[in-house]
Amino acid sequence: MALLDLIGIHKAYETQKILTNVDFSLHEGERVAIIGKNGGGKSTLMKIVYGILEADEGRRILQKNIKVGMLDQTPRFKEGMKCQRGRLKRN
Ligand SMILES: Nc1ncnc2c1ncn2[C@@H]1O[C@H](COP(=O)(O)OP(=O)(O)OP(=O)(O)O)[C@@H](O)[C@H]1O
Ligand SMILES: [Mg+2]
């Protein structure tokens, strides 16, 4: 059983079709890279996986007790934060 399933996802921005009938599953222990051309819809797909964007059609099924996290493609960090041993800390 997959941790997460997207089934038959369709997404358009206005008249621009971005995702057409996309299926995606993620199983425990899997590491998946999504590769595609610029503007191909990778971030759109990830936002649907994350749950901040709703598909126009299709189903998103998440196993119980699964938390989805997402690091934004262009993260905006608060002023005064710095990276220390891979962790963000305030000055
Ligand atoms: N909120 C939005 N409103 C309208 N169009 C959008 C919106 N977000 C993305 N798009 C358009 O949808 C298409 C897919 O964008 P998306 O960001 O999903 O692609 P991507 O594969 O992540 O691109 P990149 O490789 O540049 O990160 C692009 O043409 C983009 O301009
Ligand atoms: Mg992107």
Side-chain angles (χ1 to χ4, degrees):
M1 190 180 179
L3 300 176
L4 173 133
D5 279 304
L6 297 184
I7 304 164
I9 296 291
H10 292 257
K11 181 68 191 177
Y13 293 116
E14 312 238 328
T15 57
Q16 190 188 5
K17 286 185 182 179
I18 308 297
L19 303 173
T20 305
N21 203 23
V22 172
D23 295 331
F24 176 79
S25 294
L26 194 67
H27 296 84
E28 191 167 355
E30 274 185 336
R31 292 175 184 209
V32 178
I34 296 173
I35 300 168
K37 63 180 182 183
N38 290 132
K42 304 178 295 293
S43 292
T44 299
L45 182 68
M46 284 302 97
K47 286 173 189 171
I48 292 169
V49 166
Y50 189 39
I52 53 166
L53 189 67
E54 208 170 317
D56 299 329
E57 277 181 61
R59 294 179 64 200
R60 173 180 178 270
I61 303 163
L62 213 57
Q63 236 187 68
K64 270 188 188 169
N65 304 321
I66 294 297
K67 278 188 189 170
V68 181
M70 178 172 161
L71 182 63
D72 203 82
Q73 185 167 332
T74 47
R76 270 163 285 175
F77 299 111
K78 286 180 187 162
E79 213 174 303
M81 297 193 95
K82 61 181 181 181
C83 191
Q84 216 173 52
R85 289 194 195 135
R87 290 173 181 227
L88 281 170
K89 288 190 175 171
R90 287 198 173 280
N91 275 328

